Amino acid sequence: MPLQDIEFRIRYFHEASDEYLMTLGVDRKLLPKPDAWRTIHERDYERPLPERESYALLWELDHRPVGFSSLDRIVFGAHAFMHLHIVDEPHRRRGLGTEFVKKSADVYFQVFDLERIYCEPNALNVAPNRVLQRAGFTYLFSHETVPGPINFRQVTTRWVLERP
Ligand SMILES: CC(C)(COP(=O)(O)OP(=O)(O)OC[C@H]1O[C@@H](n2cnc3c(N)ncnc32)[C@H](O)[C@@H]1OP(=O)(O)O)[C@@H](O)C(=O)NCCC(=O)NCCS
């Protein structure tokens, strides 16, 4: 995702309804203000790949952005955690999520020389749990945790994909 498209990612969270954020396991109060969030990303984009805190891919359909994936908790050459969001409801449940998860993972394995990729959605969020299984991830365990800086405490399911 080029830095100039970072607004797409920031707006997605800030414009979401409370109910939608709840499904994602995200606490609105923990979202950085848009300007501050942009600055966080600008600083991160300046870092060399092995030092990046996060990395993102913008997914397009017919040259229009429809979703994005992000990677964080990156340990270069070892492992990282991925996320995927299809922004508009009409584009969901058409198989795009499965395709984008597979294609994102291919990129992450290559760019960060990863051995394995984890994904850890909210246990009650059915869609990503179905998609991860379909995309070839293996279920590891469920636990109660705070999975990230914008999340509230919740039960999550951890899935893993090993480097092919
Ligand atoms: C999660 C998400 C990326 C999945 O993408 P998608 O394009 O809708 O998923 P697909 O069309 O590839 O569906 C794959 C499977 O999941 C199932 N599925 C997808 N959404 C579902 C839902 N809301 N409820 C039940 N099953 C669902 C599909 O029926 C399909 O099942 P199958 O393998 O039996 O055929 C998308 O729904 C999304 O962006 N949701 C909102 C954001 C989100 O929750 N992101 C995850 C944060 S970790």
Side-chain angles (χ1 to χ4, degrees):
M1 177 185 286
L3 187 57
Q4 66 260 28
D5 288 320
I6 208 74
E7 290 301 320
F8 185 74
R9 184 175 172 186
I10 293 172
R11 268 204 318 272
Y12 167 76
F13 287 104
H14 274 282
E15 292 177 3
S17 67
D18 289 343
E19 188 190 0
Y20 186 76
L21 291 181
M22 179 71 77
T23 306
L24 296 182
V26 168
D27 183 343
R28 184 183 304 284
K29 293 192 296 299
L30 298 176
L31 295 177
K33 297 265 181 304
D35 282 351
W37 218 351
R38 203 172 303 115
T39 305
I40 290 169
H41 287 301
E42 281 165 4
R43 291 204 183 118
D44 198 38
Y45 271 66
E46 285 169 8
R47 298 188 177 107
L49 281 175
E51 292 167 27
R52 288 288 294 266
E53 286 179 359
S54 78
Y55 189 81
L57 300 170
L58 182 68
W59 284 111
E60 294 179 331
L61 184 69
D62 299 330
H63 308 293
R64 299 181 64 164
V66 291
F68 65 93
S69 173
S70 62
L71 193 72
D72 55 28
R73 296 156 76 180
I74 303 166
V75 180
F76 193 91
H79 54 82
F81 284 72
M82 72 170 284
H83 311 265
L84 180 77
H85 301 271
I86 293 180
V87 170
D88 294 318
E89 171 70 41
H91 287 122
R92 297 188 193 135
R93 302 198 78 160
R94 290 171 48 194
L96 291 174
T98 306
E99 268 312 293
F100 292 158
V101 165
K102 288 185 190 165
K103 288 187 191 312
S104 301
D106 286 347
V107 175
Y108 298 145
F109 276 124
Q110 207 181 327
V111 171
F112 291 94
D113 193 24
L114 301 176
E115 293 293 331
R116 60 192 60 86
I117 295 172
Y118 298 108
C119 187
E120 191 163 324
N122 185 305
L124 300 178
N125 189 358
V126 178
N129 284 287
R130 291 288 306 129
V131 166
L132 290 166
Q133 187 176 27
R134 191 151 183 203
F137 278 63
T138 302
Y139 170 80
L140 290 177
F141 58 80
S142 302
H143 67 159
E144 192 180 311
T145 185
V146 179
I150 62 171
N151 300 110
F152 53 80
R153 178 165 285 275
Q154 60 197 275
V155 177
T156 59
T157 47
R158 186 174 295 182
W159 296 78
V160 68
L161 185 68
E162 302 285 341
R163 193 215 297 259

